């Protein structure tokens, strides 16, 4: 594991932030494109409808215009890819280079989650076996080591706009950060009979409260 | 084309169902495949209504968890393997020989055998309902290890796997026939770059089937071997990823197989109803070719969250898809502008196809970004996205094609009034059902769950969707009524009711057994009948002394 | 570009470039195998279209053919082949006797297919008359 880069906390990678940033660019563009095409189609229909067939124009090709248009589209694609790649680099690579304040081993199994805190020597479980919450410190990188005992599951915490598969036979590393609050979590890869019940709750609390809770090995009340 | 007289005389005798079921006439095979897939469409629709009933509120108790899993699996499997894909192949089998001026399909026996293999596959897949442990229940993609015999034991899942293999075999065989027909049986003058727009879309679809469906057969055969306990092929992390790589190598091209022929059908409807030939033909052909090439190189964008693929490469290819898609829309608008537009039901369905598919396409650009997909994958955002492409898109394209070509198939017109009513009902139902899914997904509702938390707004949105699904069913019912009424009280269509552009309108409705009795018009462009009409118009104008 | 097959060959080349890109990014044998298969199928179709293009390019009205098209009216053999493949695979999952039963039908229907093809050829010879035996 790399040593923490200087100013690690100030450059905390937030999946939520990256998602919202991209969302704020992609979605307005999409709405704009949709409305433009809708307007042009409706306008064309209104203008050109009910003319006699023999008045229909005969031009049917303009390759320079189409070529230019394709270039514009390629530029749009390049712009979107630039944004996506820089965000993806942060989420997938830079985040995992941050020094985590806590490491949680997540084992998914039909139909429960086991969250193990190796630094503190205990674990909590959620899903069909109960609803012990996953507690994490807010405002700090939290590393998750994901694996599965049986089939493919996916750890999804909608509030941080992130999910990742837990696949048997592998341990996958993701690093997330949270703001304080209580969030829902869900298995997001269909895993059989009681997939609907494979839920958990995340409590993101101030680091001091987390430390106190963790030192009690999860026996203290969830802060 | 001089043809043997004896077989032709025998063909002209149209018999009852034994002849219809064993006929090697491409029109009969296409009709049989189309009719059977329409039946499966209704079955899949019933599954959808049951699903939506369970989801109307957070904890409806209509279905057990197991039944819910069976029904969503069979809804997806029925719609994809038994309706949208085979209907695309049915349209290609029926229309492509007519559009390229061929008297028949190449290797018609292979196509016929393919149809029966496909039908056997469909019946085997649905027969899994009759087993003690129930139908296939691991989703239409049936990821391993979920779908192996340890996690999903029972003969029902076996039958599902066998059904998929048979379906893929049958459709591959039928696609080979269409490909060979295009290669060998084009009429004189019908160069590849004079083939109608629909034929191009159909050719690319069948080519993608031939290139990609063998991977599905392979993935499912290996899965079946694993399930019998004879092998340990898909093991561990590598096995899980290999299965997904194989499956999606079929699974993404099939998305375009389920799109192209409907795009082609809608494009023909737009061009004919605008009385103007399709704009930018060459650019269109190049762009759908780019589309096909890219669509075969984006498969792992379904696997962004697995940590087992190179997300950047697949984000690159997936986002690039917006270039050919943009060209298509440009061509559609270019066809409208300057045209003489008639708003028939087929035209309205075609325009709605383009507009609604746009929602699916734009949300597709969204989920092509890994960072956005990390949230969207496996949620109702994705469900909304692919239903906007498949239902609001392809199925509206199918209805455009149905209203456009029904007169050619049967010799009778469909009722325009009922068609427009159906369109209105279906537009309302479709958007009411699928648009709220974007909000639900973004809010955190995963797909493939039978119960969900009791957030108040989730209950409202889900209820709206359930009502929308009912409205869609009403729309489909109106279509069925329209078909029955139009066949019972026939309004005779004639050979060419719409002033068509392509060769299928140069023959009788329905076409005779060997397709063309009169000599074919000369083929000098992709709209040979429009050429004739324009020449006629020019002659008339010259005679009137008014220079054109 | 009137041959048009160039377009399919170009498609195959784009496909190949994309697949090579994928290989450079991440060399997985499964992906290489599937990609190679798809590229070969596409190239083969392009070549087939290129070889078959001449007749279609000839201008003018269709020339009358001296050889009649032989059109099979119906084919029970093809139906049975399809159904027997279905039966065999169904038998693999359901009951083994169906595998043998289906294999039996498959053999019989292949036999019938041979008969159908022979009678078709006989009809064509008869129609062609004696002057042009093939």
């Amino acid at each position: 594991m790399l040593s923490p880069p200087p100013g690690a906390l100030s450059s905390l990678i937030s999946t939520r932030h990256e998602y919202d940033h991209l969302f704020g660019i992609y979605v307005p563009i999409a709405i704009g494109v949709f409305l433009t095409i809708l307007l042009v189609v409706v306008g064309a229909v209104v203008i050109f409808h009910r003319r006699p067939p023999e008045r229909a124009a005969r031009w049917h090709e303009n390759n320079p215009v189409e070529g230019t248009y394709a270039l514009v589209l390629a530029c749009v694609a390049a712009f979107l890819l630039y944004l996506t790649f820089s965000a993806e680099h942060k989420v997938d690579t830079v985040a995992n280079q941050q020094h985590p304040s806590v490491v949680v081993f997540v084992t998914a199994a039909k139909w429960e989650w086991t969250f193990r805190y190796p630094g503190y020597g205990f674990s909590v479980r959620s899903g069909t076996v109960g609803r012990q919450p996953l507690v994490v410190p807010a405002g700090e990188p939290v590393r998750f080591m994901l694996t599965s005992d049986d089939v493919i599951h996916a750890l999804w915490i909608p509030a941080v706009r992130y999910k990742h598969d837990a696949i048997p036979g592998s341990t996958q590393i993701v690093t997330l950060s949270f703001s304080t609050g209580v969030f829902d979590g869900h298995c997001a890869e269909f895993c059989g009979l009681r997939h609907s019940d494979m839920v958990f709750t995340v409590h993101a609390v101030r680091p001091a409260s987390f430390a106190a809770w963790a030192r009690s090995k999860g026996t203290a009340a969830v802060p | 084309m001089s043809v043997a007289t004896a077989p032709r005389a025998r063909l002209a005798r149209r018999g009852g169902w034994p002849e219809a079921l064993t006929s090697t006439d491409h029109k009969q095979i296409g009709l049989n495949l189309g009719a059977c897939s329409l039946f499966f469409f209704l079955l899949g629709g019933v599954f959808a209504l049951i699903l939506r009933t369970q989801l109307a509120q957070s904890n409806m108790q209509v279905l057990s968890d197991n039944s819910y899993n069976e029904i969503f699996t069979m809804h997806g499997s029925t719609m994809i393997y038994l309706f949208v894909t085979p209907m695309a192949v049915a349209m290609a089998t029926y229309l492509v020989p007519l559009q390229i001026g061929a008297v028949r399909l190449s290797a018609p026996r292979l196509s016929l055998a393919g149809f029966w293999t496909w039908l056997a596959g469909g019946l085997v897949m649905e027969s899994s309902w009759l087993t003690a442990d129930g139908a296939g229940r691991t989703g239409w993609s049936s990821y391993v290890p979920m779908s192996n015999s340890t996690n999903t034991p029972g003969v029902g899942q076996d039958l599902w796997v066998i059904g998929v293999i048979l379906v893929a075999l049958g459709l591959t065989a039928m696609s080979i026939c269409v490909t060979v027909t295009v290669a060998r049986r084009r009429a004189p003058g019908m160069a590849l770059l004079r083939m109608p727009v629909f034929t191009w879309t159909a050719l690319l679809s069948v080519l993608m089937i031939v290139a990609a469906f063998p991977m599905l057969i392979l993935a499912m055969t290996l899965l079946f071997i694993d399930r019998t306990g004879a092998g340990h092929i898909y093991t561990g992390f590598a096995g899980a990823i290999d299965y997904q790589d194989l499956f999606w190598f079929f699974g993404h091209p099939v998305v375009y197989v389920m799109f192209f022929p409907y795009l082609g059908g809608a494009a023909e409807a737009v061009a004919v109803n605008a009385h103007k030939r399709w704009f930018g033909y060459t650019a269109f052909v190049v762009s759908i070719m780019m589309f096909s090439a890219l669509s075969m190189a984006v498969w792992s964008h379904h696997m962004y969250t697995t940590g087992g693929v190179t997300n950047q490469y697949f984000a690159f290819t997936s986002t690039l898809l917006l270039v050919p898609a943009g060209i298509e829309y440009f061509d559609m608008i270019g066809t409208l502008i300057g045209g003489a537009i008639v708003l028939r039901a087929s035209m309205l369905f075609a325009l709605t196809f383009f507009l609604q598919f746009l929602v699916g396409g734009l949300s597709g650009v969204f989920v092509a970004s890994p960072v956005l997909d990390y949230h969207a994958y496996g949620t109702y955002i994705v469900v909304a996205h692919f239903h906007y492409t498949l239902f609001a898109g392809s199925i509206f394209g199918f209805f455009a094609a149905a209203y456009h070509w029904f007169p050619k198939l049967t010799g009778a017109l469909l009722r325009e009034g009922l068609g427009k009513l159906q369109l209105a009902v279906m537009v309302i139902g479709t958007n009411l059902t699928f648009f709220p899914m974007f909000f639900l997904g973004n809010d955190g509702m995963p797909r493939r769950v039978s119960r969900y938390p009791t957030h108040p707004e989730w209950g409202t949105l889900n209820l709206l969707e359930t009502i929308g699904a009912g409205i869609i069913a009403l729309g489909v019912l109106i279509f069925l009524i329209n078909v029955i009424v139009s066949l019972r009280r026939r309004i005779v269509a004639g050979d060419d009711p719409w002033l068509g552009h392509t060769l299928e309108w140069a023959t009788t409705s329905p076409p005779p057994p060997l397709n063309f009795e009169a000599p074919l018009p000369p083929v000098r462009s992709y709209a040979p009948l429009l050429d004739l009409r324009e020449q006629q118009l020019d002659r008339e104008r010259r005679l009137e002394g008014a220079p054109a | 570009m009137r041959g048009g097959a160039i377009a399919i060959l170009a498609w195959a080349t784009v496909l190949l470039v994309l697949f090579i890109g994928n290989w450079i990014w991440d060399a997985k044998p499964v992906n290489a195998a599937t990609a190679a298969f798809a590229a070969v199928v596409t190239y083969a179709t392009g070549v087939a279209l290129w070889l078959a293009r001449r007749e279609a390019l000839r201008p003018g009205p269709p020339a009358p053919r001296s050889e009649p098209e032989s059109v099979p009216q119906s084919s029970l053999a093809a139906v049975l082949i399809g159904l027997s493949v279905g039966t065999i695979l169904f038998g693999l999952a359901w009951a083994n006797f169906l595998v043998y039963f289906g294999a039996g039908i498959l053999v019989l229907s292949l036999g019938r297919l041979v008969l159908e093809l022979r009678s078709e050829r006989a009809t064509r010879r008869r129609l062609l008359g004696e002057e042009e035996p093939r």
Side-chain angles (χ1 to χ4, degrees):
Chain A
M1 236 166 261
L2 298 173
S3 58
L9 281 186
S10 60
S11 64
L12 187 68
I13 307 292
S14 156
T15 46
R16 168 93 196 216
H17 173 80
E18 298 302 328
Y19 179 91
D20 288 346
H21 173 63
L22 282 189
F23 188 98
I25 296 165
Y26 271 69
V27 172
I29 292 179
I31 293 173
V33 169
F34 180 80
L35 291 180
T36 311
I37 292 183
L38 179 70
L39 212 70
V40 172
V41 168
V42 171
V45 168
V46 168
I47 294 171
F48 296 105
H49 118 253
R50 290 213 177 141
R51 303 203 309 176
E54 54 281 7
R55 277 192 59 203
R58 292 194 188 175
W59 49 264
H60 57 87
E61 197 145 64
N62 193 336
N63 286 332
V65 172
E66 295 219 59
T68 317
Y69 179 61
L71 268 180
V72 172
L73 289 175
C75 292
V76 173
F79 169 66
L80 294 179
L81 278 172
Y82 167 74
L83 294 173
T84 283
F85 281 4
S86 32
E88 198 253 7
H89 178 68
K90 282 189 206 163
V91 170
D92 285 348
T93 309
V94 181
N96 280 335
Q97 290 165 353
Q98 299 171 111
H99 186 72
S101 68
V102 59
V103 179
V104 185
F105 279 73
V106 182
T107 306
K110 290 188 291 190
W111 292 274
E112 62 191 56
W113 299 98
T114 304
F115 301 106
R116 188 160 63 86
Y117 296 84
Y120 301 92
F122 72 101
S123 51
V124 294
R125 300 169 83 195
S126 187
T128 49
V129 287
R131 287 297 288 272
Q132 289 177 304
L134 162 69
V135 181
V136 291
E140 293 176 351
V142 182
R143 180 145 304 155
F144 294 93
M145 316 288 271
L146 282 169
T147 190
S148 165
D149 277 351
D150 37 43
V151 301
I152 304 175
H153 304 269
L155 178 93
W156 182 31
I157 304 164
V160 297
R161 304 291 190 254
Y162 190 82
K163 75 171 63 64
H164 199 87
D165 287 6
I167 302 177
S170 73
T171 298
Q172 306 212 18
I173 304 168
V174 298
T175 307
L176 301 175
S177 65
F178 301 82
S179 52
T180 47
V182 178
F183 314 113
D184 287 334
H186 210 296
C187 174
E189 181 65 57
F190 176 69
C191 57
L193 191 64
R194 296 192 64 185
H195 171 55
S196 307
D197 294 324
M198 203 164 154
V199 294
F200 58 98
T201 313
V202 186
H203 287 245
V205 297
R206 283 180 295 105
S209 319
F210 171 78
W213 175 82
R215 273 195 301 274
S216 79
K217 296 192 185 296
T219 51
V222 174
Chain B
M1 217 165 276
S2 121
V3 217
T5 45
R8 180 193 217 158
R10 274 165 58 207
L11 261 175
R13 181 173 54 86
R14 289 214 153 164
W17 60 268
E19 280 80 19
L21 293 183
T22 58
S23 169
T24 47
D25 184 356
H26 70 94
K27 298 183 290 297
Q28 190 64 51
I29 301 175
L31 283 177
N32 290 351
L33 181 59
C36 292
S37 37
L38 258 188
F39 165 78
F40 285 120
F41 172 54
L42 300 181
L43 185 65
V46 170
F47 294 154
L49 289 177
I50 300 173
L51 292 179
R52 282 307 332 161
T53 312
Q54 165 68 24
L55 292 172
Q57 286 297 305
S58 67
N59 197 359
M60 280 289 275
Q61 316 273 4
V62 177
L63 297 171
S64 67
D65 283 352
N66 196 45
S67 311
Y68 183 88
N69 295 345
E70 288 171 356
I71 291 184
F72 86 69
T73 298
M74 296 307 280
H75 165 69
S77 309
T78 304
M79 288 300 192
I80 288 170
Y81 298 119
L82 304 180
F83 171 57
V84 190
T85 316
M87 184 57 88
V89 176
M91 284 164 60
T93 304
Y94 191 102
L95 290 168
V96 164
L98 285 166
Q99 285 205 321
I100 61 173
V103 296
R104 67 179 181 99
L105 194 68
S106 291
R109 286 189 184 84
L110 181 60
S111 185
L112 182 61
F115 163 69
W116 282 98
T117 310
W118 169 83
L119 184 59
L123 295 176
V124 169
M125 196 189 285
E126 301 296 344
S127 77
S128 63
W129 285 109
L130 305 176
T131 61
D133 33 41
R137 53 194 179 283
T138 52
W140 81 282
S141 50
S142 280
Y143 279 6
V144 293
M146 185 65 221
S147 56
N148 68 18
S149 53
T150 317
N151 290 302
T152 310
V155 75
Q157 184 72 23
D158 288 341
L159 290 176
W160 182 91
V161 175
I162 293 290
V164 173
I165 294 176
L166 286 169
V167 161
L169 278 175
L171 294 178
T172 308
M174 298 187 79
S175 300
I176 290 172
C177 299
V178 177
T179 315
V180 176
T181 308
V182 171
R184 300 197 30 138
R185 295 195 171 268
R186 279 171 286 139
M190 184 63 74
L192 276 179
L193 283 177
R194 288 178 186 167
M195 295 197 310
V197 171
F198 172 80
T199 296
W200 262 112
T201 57
L203 172 64
L204 292 181
S205 290
V206 293
L207 261 176
M208 281 194 283
I209 290 181
V210 176
F213 274 41
M215 300 314 150
L216 176 66
I217 299 172
L218 179 64
M220 289 298 158
T221 306
L222 298 180
L223 174 60
F224 186 76
I225 293 170
D226 260 7
R227 287 184 60 81
T228 59
H232 299 278
I233 298 160
Y234 298 121
T235 51
F237 177 70
I241 297 294
D242 286 348
Y243 176 87
Q244 293 186 26
D245 267 327
L246 277 179
F247 182 84
W248 290 115
F249 195 86
F250 140 82
H252 203 83
V254 79
V255 168
Y256 289 82
V257 172
M258 293 189 287
F259 167 53
F260 276 170
Y262 303 102
L263 166 69
E268 298 263 355
V270 166
V272 168
N273 285 301
H275 297 102
K276 187 161 167 272
R277 70 190 65 206
W278 183 252
F279 176 81
Y281 176 82
T282 316
F284 181 80
V285 170
V286 172
S287 84
I288 57 172
M289 202 114 29
M290 275 291 289
F291 230 140
S292 311
L294 284 170
S295 84
M296 298 195 72
V298 297
W299 69 92
S300 289
H301 69 204
H302 300 266
M303 301 160 65
Y304 282 154
T305 62
T306 59
V309 298
T310 52
N311 290 357
Q312 290 196 343
Y313 172 79
F314 290 102
F316 171 71
T317 51
S318 307
T319 307
L320 270 191
L321 279 170
L322 73 84
V323 178
I327 297 285
E328 260 170 48
Y329 276 85
F330 193 81
D331 291 348
M332 185 267 290
I333 289 167
T335 310
L336 290 179
I337 291 176
I341 297 170
V342 189
L343 289 177
R344 299 191 184 99
S346 58
M347 180 65 156
L348 290 169
F349 267 109
L351 293 176
T352 330
F353 159 84
F354 279 106
L355 291 173
Q356 292 187 148
F357 185 87
L358 189 54
V359 179
L362 292 167
S363 57
V365 179
F366 181 89
V367 290
S369 162
V371 174
L372 296 170
D373 193 60
Y374 291 155
H375 181 53
Y377 171 79
T379 73
Y380 266 87
I381 298 179
V382 172
V383 178
H385 157 65
F386 67 70
H387 279 95
Y388 262 98
T389 60
L390 279 174
F391 192 90
S394 296
I395 288 178
F396 276 69
F398 162 71
F399 283 120
Y403 280 89
H404 187 63
W405 278 302
F406 188 84
K408 185 47 67 186
L409 268 56
T410 63
L413 295 172
L414 282 170
R415 297 288 191 276
E416 279 294 311
L418 281 175
K420 286 172 183 165
L421 178 67
Q422 182 205 345
L423 175 91
V425 169
M426 285 193 63
V427 167
I428 295 169
T430 301
N431 291 293
L432 196 58
T433 308
F434 300 117
F435 204 74
M437 290 182 180
F438 284 119
F439 299 107
L440 280 173
N442 200 39
D443 247 23
M445 180 161 164
R447 65 191 282 210
R448 295 173 169 175
V449 290
S450 57
R451 283 164 280 116
Y452 49 87
T454 51
H455 301 306
E457 65 273 36
W458 285 21
T460 316
L461 290 175
N462 272 293
L463 187 61
L464 282 178
E465 289 171 12
T466 303
I467 295 169
I471 297 177
I472 291 174
L474 190 66
V476 175
L477 197 66
I478 295 173
F479 176 72
L480 295 178
I481 292 172
N482 197 350
V483 169
I484 293 168
V485 169
S486 304
L487 287 177
R488 284 274 169 84
R489 303 175 62 113
R490 298 166 73 91
I491 302 174
V492 176
D495 294 355
D496 184 9
W498 320 127
L499 301 177
H501 294 179
T502 43
L503 290 182
E504 77 270 28
W505 302 106
T507 183
T508 54
S509 308
L514 291 174
N515 289 349
F516 299 97
E517 273 168 357
L520 285 173
V523 181
R524 302 231 162 77
S525 77
Y526 57 95
L529 300 196
L530 188 62
D531 290 345
L532 288 184
R533 230 171 278 128
E534 287 178 354
Q535 284 163 15
Q536 176 72 21
L537 196 64
D538 289 345
R539 261 199 304 277
E540 281 167 15
R541 281 182 183 156
R542 267 200 304 277
L543 285 177
E544 285 164 16
Chain C
M1 210 154 130
R2 287 180 70 211
I6 295 165
I8 302 273
L9 292 172
W11 169 23
T13 307
V14 174
L15 206 54
L16 198 63
V17 170
L18 287 168
F19 289 149
I20 291 171
N22 185 33
W23 176 259
I24 292 168
W25 230 298
D26 181 18
K28 283 201 279 190
V30 170
N31 293 352
T34 51
F37 177 82
V40 165
V41 166
T42 316
Y43 269 117
T45 312
V47 169
L49 287 169
W50 186 67
L51 292 175
R53 83 192 195 280
R54 289 173 196 287
E55 170 64 8
L57 274 179
R58 203 170 47 72
R65 288 198 189 179
S66 58
E67 186 191 341
E69 284 268 356
S70 59
V71 183
Q73 182 195 8
S74 66
S75 172
L76 187 61
V79 174
L80 290 177
I81 289 172
L83 286 177
S84 57
V85 171
T87 313
I88 293 171
L89 289 182
F90 183 59
L92 285 176
W94 184 253
N96 273 340
F97 79 92
L98 283 175
V99 177
Y100 305 111
F101 181 67
I105 300 182
L106 183 61
V107 170
L108 290 179
S109 46
L110 285 174
R112 196 189 143 92
L113 181 66
V114 171
L115 294 180
E116 280 182 11
L117 289 173
R118 280 181 58 180
S119 84
E120 191 180 311
R121 206 164 51 210
T123 315
R124 191 164 57 201
R125 266 209 208 105
R126 204 176 61 238
L127 288 166
L128 270 172
E130 283 73 38
E131 83 266 28
E132 212 180 336
R134 267 189 65 171

